[in-house]
Each structure stands twice: as C-alpha cells, then as structure tokens.
Amino acid sequence: MGPSTTIIEKKSRLKLVDWKELADYRDLLYFLIVRGIRAKYAQSVLGVSWAVIQPLFTMLVFTIVFGNLAKISSDGVPYALFSFSALMPWTYFSGVLNEASNSLTTNANMLSKVYFPRIVLPLAAMLGKLLDFSITLLVMGVLLVMFNYMPSYQLVFLPLLLLYLLMTALGPSLILAAWSVQYRDIKYAMTFIVQLLMYAAPVVYPLSLIPQKYQLWYALNPLVGVIEGFRAAILGTSAMPWPIIGIGFSMSWVILMVGLYTFSRLERTFADVA
C-alpha cells in the first residue's frame, strides 16, 4: 500500500468553522495544548506556582492601593476577596488575549510547511490557559476558608459563566491573531491594550460605582457581565445580574462571529506573510 495523500480542495463558500475538519485534527489540538503548557513552565524553578503568584500578588497590591488607601467600595465584602474574584476571570482573559494573538506568528514555521486548520493555534492557547484558571479557582476556595466566607448558592451558575468567559476571550483573540500576521504592531500594542481593558472593566471597583442610568450602556463591555457574574456567583454581592449578563453575552456573541469571519477571510494568506 502506497503512502496516503491528503487532497486540499478550495472551499465552495465561506465557512466560519469546519467542525468535521476540526474533529479530524483533535490530536494536533491536544498536542499543541500540552506543548504550550510544558514550554511555559519548562526550566522554571517555581513551575505552575506562577499561576498562583501573579493574581495573588496583584490582589495584595490592589487591596493596599484601592482597598486601604483609595477606600474604594467592595460591596460589603473584604477587598481581598472582592478583587480576587474579579482577577480570576480577568487573568484568564488577558492571558488568552496575549497568547492567542501571538499564536500564529510564533508558529510561523508550521504555517508555511504543513496544512492544518489554522484556528487550532488560537484554540490551543485558549484551552491551555484553563489549567491556570483551575489553579486560581482552588486559590479562591482557600481564600474563602481563610476569611470564613460562605459562597453564595448562585455558585451553581459558575459553569455557565465559564462558557461566557471562554466566548468573550476567543472573539477578540481571533481578530487580533489574524491581524497580527500582517501587522506586527499588534504584538507591541498588546501591553497597552490589556491595561486599557482592565481599567475599562470593574476589576478594582464595583458596578455600583457606575451611575444607574449608565449601567446598561456600560454592560456593552462583555467583561462587565463576566466579572459581575463571577462576583455574584462566588461572593453573593448581589442577585445574579441577568440583564447585565444578557447584554454582555449578546455583545460577546457578536464579537465572536466577527472574529470567526475575520479569521476565515484572512487565513488563506497566513502562509504567505507569516
């Protein structure tokens, strides 16, 4: 029997996601996830502890600066818990945005030598970050015990909020990943973009600081619904803000569709310019 031959045919129409092809390359997706995790912590003395250190020290700084000095409201809960419950989804979102947006340029050799669905690269970056998120979730549990704070019954909505977070992270990551192949400025602008997005989201302050008449407009930022949903689910700072979540989820869905469309339109040029 001779060697197998893979025939790559031109797609008859634009398809945002080829699920069958993606399933065929699931082994490659798994390999890239494992490789990304190993490469990140290889030759590191502290290893996966960095997944704890970064949000934990950020929480300490925020607690001192915004909680103790600036006296920003924390909706009646200890500021350390208030900020860490927001840093969990924020750290995941910013990590995915950074890694996924650079996933095509850092794997340029693969793009020019072999065929595979290009969306596997940003997907691997997004799924690989779930390990860090799981670790921060455990740290959140430890903090709740330390502060003798009982989680809210709304914790049952956490899996739904996690799906919302994944969708919120994937949409802009696809857009930035596709653009970064042609415009390397994206790589240098990421630090500024991430900082800007953090202060545009209620990470260090509560939604209640925003005037009531502007809150629904503010919810057009998908991160608002994610962060306030996490706080309501874990700390019970308020009833689950479904109107805020509904608006943010809708915006997140629109951004995801724009991201998939942008990625699909530009992926045929990746091998030429990467």
Side-chain angles (χ1 to χ4, degrees):
M1 182 181 294
S4 61
T5 303
T6 300
I7 300 174
I8 303 171
E9 296 179 328
K10 182 181 179 181
K11 295 177 182 175
S12 57
R13 61 187 175 85
L14 182 65
K15 186 183 290 186
L16 294 183
V17 181
D18 189 336
W19 295 104
K20 181 180 180 303
E21 186 181 52
L22 200 56
D24 291 340
Y25 283 87
R26 61 186 179 279
D27 291 341
L28 175 64
L29 177 61
Y30 174 76
F31 167 78
L32 290 172
I33 293 171
V34 174
R35 188 193 69 168
I37 293 172
R38 287 179 176 170
K40 181 178 179 181
Y41 297 114
Q43 297 180 333
S44 169
V45 175
L46 298 179
V48 294
S49 301
W50 284 111
V52 178
I53 292 171
Q54 182 185 355
L56 205 56
F57 275 79
T58 306
M59 177 203 73
L60 290 173
V61 172
F62 283 178
T63 301
I64 294 170
V65 175
F66 298 107
N68 295 342
L69 299 180
K71 303 292 185 187
I72 289 179
S73 168
S74 58
D75 286 342
V77 300
Y79 194 89
L81 294 179
F82 175 84
S83 60
F84 198 84
S85 62
L87 282 168
M88 284 171 52
W90 167 253
T91 304
Y92 176 79
F93 174 83
S94 59
V96 171
L97 207 61
N98 273 316
E99 287 200 17
S101 63
N102 292 316
S103 60
L104 297 176
T105 52
T106 53
N107 292 282
N109 289 336
M110 287 180 64
L111 295 177
S112 58
K113 290 179 180 175
V114 292
Y115 174 78
F116 61 93
R118 303 328 196 192
I119 199 171
V120 164
L121 292 171
L123 277 179
M126 183 189 76
L127 297 174
K129 278 288 177 186
L130 284 176
L131 173 64
D132 291 357
F133 179 82
S134 302
I135 294 171
T136 57
L137 197 59
L138 292 175
V139 175
M140 184 78 237
V142 173
L143 288 173
L144 288 172
V145 173
M146 288 174 60
F147 281 87
N148 195 25
Y149 197 97
M150 184 64 71
S152 160
Y153 75 91
Q154 298 178 128
L155 199 63
V156 295
F157 296 117
L158 204 58
L160 181 64
L161 292 168
L162 178 59
L163 289 176
Y164 176 16
L165 172 61
L166 292 175
M167 193 170 71
T168 302
L170 183 59
S173 296
L174 290 174
I175 297 172
L176 291 171
W179 285 352
S180 68
V181 176
Q182 295 189 348
Y183 308 106
R184 301 304 166 92
D185 310 69
I186 298 290
K187 177 181 179 181
Y188 303 109
M190 282 310 298
T191 303
F192 170 71
I193 292 173
V194 168
Q195 284 183 347
L196 197 65
L197 288 175
M198 191 191 80
Y199 288 106
V203 176
V204 299
Y205 53 86
L207 177 65
S208 55
L209 279 187
I210 304 297
Q212 186 78 32
K213 60 182 179 181
Y214 297 127
Q215 287 187 3
L216 293 181
W217 288 104
Y218 186 48
L220 289 172
N221 177 353
L223 283 169
V224 175
V226 172
I227 291 172
E228 286 298 314
F230 267 75
R231 280 195 179 125
I234 297 172
L235 303 176
T237 51
S238 64
M240 192 59 70
W242 293 117
I244 301 292
I245 291 174
I247 294 172
F249 188 89
S250 301
M251 279 302 298
S252 188
W253 177 259
V254 170
I255 294 171
L256 178 61
M257 291 299 107
V258 172
L260 288 170
Y261 178 77
T262 304
F263 199 90
S264 301
R265 285 293 302 271
L266 296 178
E267 68 174 336
R268 69 192 66 175
T269 66
F270 290 164
D272 298 328
V273 297

